[in-house]
């Protein structure tokens, strides 16, 4: 994530640039108004997005899911800087956040994130996209299967489909419920940022579901709650120390 797109090789073609702009502006109108990513944490600290910035800081410093992902990003050569890689902005619709791959920045929807637990889930979800962007050549803008895979992983590993969250949504008691939740939320996420039919989104998710659902990196397991996430973070740190001593 620290490596900007132009540091990975030649920039996108003109058609892809237009596609990136179209996708981003559907959901993040401030990106169109500014024509560039927001300045981030320090420059906007005392504006009306102060609550968003404070919740973000709390998440980065205390959340077990996020701490593991930050360590994994650094280990992969994509260290995250909160001033550069996060931006609190107003968003259209009910979207809570997004990963703007064109500038390697996570957008947090300050008008839709209402409390700390919500911020924790959104940052975790988007950092999984950032991790995928770091470790693989993801074609976010023209290959819906690539997007579908990352959305499956984010729904599976971020806690979006935890039992507690599903009880609050009044969704529970079904056989293989976790898989059903992951599939449904991945489809919803795709439809929120792509102007495609539900059938196309479902087909993309179904085609990649098995392999992407079983890809648990960097957690090594599905972290169903904060305790699992803490154990996963401990195991990641121990694994990192082991390989560094070989």
């Amino acid at each position: 994530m620290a490596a900007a797109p132009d540091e990975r090789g030649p920039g996108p073609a003109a058609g892809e640039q237009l596609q990136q702009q179209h996708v981003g502006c559907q959901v993040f109108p401030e990106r169109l108004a500014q024509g560039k990513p927001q300045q981030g944490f320090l420059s906007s600290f005392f504006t009306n997005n102060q609550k968003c910035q404070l919740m973000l800081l709390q998440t980065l410093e205390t959340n077990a899911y996020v701490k593991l992902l930050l360590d994994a990003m650094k280990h992969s050569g994509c260290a995250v800087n909160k001033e550069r890689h996060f931006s609190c902005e107003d968003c259209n619709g009910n979207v809570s956040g997004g990963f703007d791959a064109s500038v390697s920045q996570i957008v947090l929807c300050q008008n839709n994130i209402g409390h700390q637990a919500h911020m924790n889930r959104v940052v975790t979800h988007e950092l999984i996209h950032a991790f995928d962007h770091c470790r693989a050549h993801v074609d976010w803008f023209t290959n819906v299967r690539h997007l579908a895979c990352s959305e499956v992983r984010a729904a599976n590993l971020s806690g979006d489909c935890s039992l507690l969250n599903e009880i609050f949504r009044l969704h529970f008691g079904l056989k293989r419920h976790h898989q059903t939740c992951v599939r449904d939320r991945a489809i919803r996420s795709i439809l929120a940022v792509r102007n495609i039919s539900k059938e196309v989104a479902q087909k993309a998710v179904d085609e990649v579901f098995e392999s992407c659902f079983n890809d648990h990196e960097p957690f090594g397991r599905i972290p169903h709650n904060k305790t699992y996430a803490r154990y996963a973070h401990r195991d990641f740190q121990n694994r990192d120390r082991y390989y560094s001593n070989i």
Side-chain angles (χ1 to χ4, degrees), residues 164-204:
L164 185 60
N165 286 333
E166 284 295 271
I167 289 174
F168 282 137
R169 298 175 188 132
L170 301 180
H171 297 160
F172 52 90
L174 298 176
K175 185 178 180 181
R176 296 174 59 85
H177 181 73
H178 182 76
Q179 290 90 330
T180 300
C181 173
V182 168
R183 179 181 180 274
D184 290 347
R185 294 192 71 79
I187 292 168
R188 287 180 57 187
S189 293
I190 294 170
L191 293 175
V193 296
R194 293 291 182 274
N195 185 24
I196 60 176
S197 69
K198 186 175 182 179
E199 290 73 22
V200 171
Q202 289 173 333
K203 183 174 184 291

Side-chain angles (χ1 to χ4, degrees), residues 77-231:
C78 299
V80 176
N81 182 292
K82 66 178 181 293
E83 289 85 3
R84 163 65 180 86
H85 294 118
F86 294 92
S87 179
C88 290
E89 304 176 14
D90 287 335
C91 305
N92 288 334
N94 295 321
V95 175
S96 298
F99 176 63
D100 187 345
S102 66
V103 290
S104 296
Q105 190 172 60
I106 289 172
V107 181
L108 301 170
C109 298
Q110 62 193 18
N111 55 321
N112 291 330
I113 300 176
H115 52 82
Q116 188 65 51
H118 191 186
M119 175 65 78
N120 293 344
R121 292 197 304 273
V122 173
V123 173
T124 302
H125 184 111
E126 302 308 333
L127 275 175
I128 291 168
H129 292 322
F131 177 77
D132 288 347
H133 185 68
C134 173
R135 69 170 183 159
H137 296 287
V138 182
D139 183 356
W140 298 100
F141 302 102
T142 60
N143 191 326
V144 69
R145 294 174 79 252
H146 285 195
L147 174 62
C149 183
S150 193
E151 291 296 355
V152 167
R153 282 177 30 78
N156 189 28
L157 302 174
S158 67
D160 284 349
C161 289
S162 70
L163 177 62
L164 185 60
N165 286 333
E166 284 295 271
I167 289 174
F168 282 137
R169 298 175 188 132
L170 301 180
H171 297 160
F172 52 90
L174 298 176
K175 185 178 180 181
R176 296 174 59 85
H177 181 73
H178 182 76
Q179 290 90 330
T180 300
C181 173
V182 168
R183 179 181 180 274
D184 290 347
R185 294 192 71 79
I187 292 168
R188 287 180 57 187
S189 293
I190 294 170
L191 293 175
V193 296
R194 293 291 182 274
N195 185 24
I196 60 176
S197 69
K198 186 175 182 179
E199 290 73 22
V200 171
Q202 289 173 333
K203 183 174 184 291
V205 168
D206 289 341
E207 287 175 347
V208 303
F209 190 85
E210 183 175 358
S211 61
C212 299
F213 182 83
N214 290 307
D215 179 1
H216 301 153
E217 285 300 310
F219 292 91
R221 69 188 81 182
I222 299 175
H224 290 289
N225 54 46
K226 289 184 288 186
T227 300
Y228 279 92
R230 284 194 293 269
Y231 289 152

